[in-house]
Amino acid sequence: MTTEEGPVRVAVLVSGGGTNLQTLLDALQNSPVARVVRVISSRPGAGALERARRAGVTTTVLANPADPNELLVALRDAQLVVLAGYLKLVPPVVVAQFRGRMINIHPALLPDFGGPGMYGHHVHAAVLASGARESGATVHFVDEAFDRGDIIAQEKVRVEPADTPETLAARVLEAEHRLLPRVVLDLARRM
Ligand code: GRF
């Protein structure tokens, strides 16, 4: 995809509070490389929508996240799609249209601790229960299954003996916030 027309146009899919979206908005502000052009939420109450509005970014709330046509319309002007705290499965026809240009951030070291139901608190509780000495964040390409696409980059964090799911989540989230903007800018430079 050539992008003589300026920064790569990034759409961000969200469901929650949007701290990953916020780090992207901050990192891409005034960037000549990439720009968040739309934030698309699977639910109307997502705090991420308020972050988008504050940044002056167009928002869309999906009436039915399982409807491929609605999502394709919302993604019509996107060149790169980032799932940031997005909790719905992307319909296969949308995955196919954006293959190699749709990425997700997951709060664990895939391929471990991923898949259906592995989100938020559940991920970190499973990591602690496993006795793993490290965890971290993964950015991967999106395919038809949750958390299964090719891994692009990871950042590891230590698991501390006194960790709770909450303290581990906070340490992993800091890694996510470092990793995601770096990967988005790297990918955008190569588009
Ligand atoms: C993050 O841990 C992210 O990896 C996961 O959802 C959590 C919340 O993300 N997918 P955000 O604060 O809504 O960006």
Side-chain angles (χ1 to χ4, degrees):
M1 164 83 62
T2 57
T3 55
E4 289 84 6
E5 71 274 10
V8 169
R9 298 187 302 277
V10 178
V12 184
L13 301 185
V14 298
S15 299
T19 65
N20 276 294
L21 167 68
Q22 190 64 56
T23 51
L24 270 185
L25 290 169
D26 298 345
L28 272 48
Q29 198 176 24
N30 308 320
S31 164
V33 175
R35 183 163 41 90
V36 177
V37 296
R38 188 180 295 271
V39 171
I40 300 163
S41 181
S42 62
R43 47 185 280 271
L49 289 167
E50 189 44 42
R51 295 178 187 272
R53 292 181 190 119
R54 269 205 303 271
V57 174
T58 306
T59 59
T60 299
V61 177
L62 297 173
N64 177 9
D67 175 1
N69 298 315
E70 184 183 14
L71 189 49
L72 283 172
V73 165
L75 291 172
R76 63 192 173 286
D77 54 356
Q79 295 168 295
L80 179 60
V81 184
V82 179
L83 276 58
Y86 189 68
L87 298 179
K88 300 291 186 181
L89 204 57
V90 177
V93 67
V94 182
V95 171
Q97 170 128 342
F98 284 92
R99 199 170 304 281
R101 299 187 295 127
M102 180 179 277
I103 66 175
N104 178 52
I105 182 151
H106 181 74
L109 295 177
L110 294 176
D112 300 327
F113 307 111
M118 273 296 173
Y119 61 88
H121 184 279
H122 307 291
V123 180
H124 308 295
V127 169
L128 293 176
S130 77
R133 304 295 300 279
E134 60 183 16
S135 187
T138 301
V139 178
H140 62 95
F141 287 111
V142 172
D143 73 6
E144 288 72 6
F146 279 117
D147 307 326
R148 192 186 61 185
D150 292 343
I151 290 172
I152 300 169
Q154 296 185 306
E155 180 168 323
K156 294 182 177 180
V157 301
R158 295 174 325 287
V159 176
E160 304 289 3
D163 266 333
T164 64
E166 290 70 26
T167 58
L168 180 55
R171 192 172 312 118
V172 170
L173 196 58
E174 287 173 356
E176 294 177 52
H177 293 171
R178 290 189 295 269
L179 185 64
L180 186 59
R182 178 162 62 78
V183 170
V184 168
L185 287 166
D186 284 350
L187 284 176
R189 284 191 191 95
R190 287 189 263 126
M191 289 180 76

